[in-house]
Amino acid sequence: MKSTADTAGATGKPGALLHRVAERGRKPVSFVLNGQALTALAGDTVLTAVLTHSAQLRFSEFSGEPRAGFCMMGACQDCWVATESGQRMRACGTFVEEGMRLVTGAEAPV
């Protein structure tokens, strides 16, 4: 992934933190993020799936600042997201699944 235009079907929007480059051969996976239907690719973590559509993963409950969740080793607290039913998960270590319904709280600081 690089900060350049997407060349595959699972686009990164303008303002997204991650943009796909030359992705081919992975199956699209549909998921819902904060009520919006989106697409990722099979094998993406939730973190990757979200950041190809957004500039942040969520807002910190401590400072209210936007967080991207990039520790990538499960040690920080920056990548927690939840399903619409309330199940919490680390976005960095959870693979996106077809039909996942995620809530990040990224639409407004708490």
Side-chain angles (χ1 to χ4, degrees), residues 15-49:
L17 192 58
L18 301 178
H19 299 273
R20 296 189 186 277
V21 177
E23 282 287 339
R24 301 200 193 313
R26 289 197 286 154
K27 178 184 170 189
V29 176
S30 298
F31 71 105
V32 175
L33 177 65
N34 299 324
Q36 182 179 7
L38 299 171
T39 303
L41 296 178
D44 282 354
T45 63
V46 169
L47 180 70
T48 299

Side-chain angles (χ1 to χ4, degrees), residues 3-79:
S3 295
T4 59
D6 177 26
T7 59
T11 63
K13 292 196 247 178
L17 192 58
L18 301 178
H19 299 273
R20 296 189 186 277
V21 177
E23 282 287 339
R24 301 200 193 313
R26 289 197 286 154
K27 178 184 170 189
V29 176
S30 298
F31 71 105
V32 175
L33 177 65
N34 299 324
Q36 182 179 7
L38 299 171
T39 303
L41 296 178
D44 282 354
T45 63
V46 169
L47 180 70
T48 299
V50 171
L51 293 179
T52 57
H53 295 281
S54 178
Q56 65 209 26
L57 181 63
R58 66 184 192 90
F59 285 90
S60 170
E61 63 273 20
F62 305 109
S63 68
E65 296 295 316
R67 307 304 298 170
F70 272 127
C71 127
M72 302 303 286
M73 61 185 213
C76 74
Q77 299 296 310
D78 282 351
C79 74

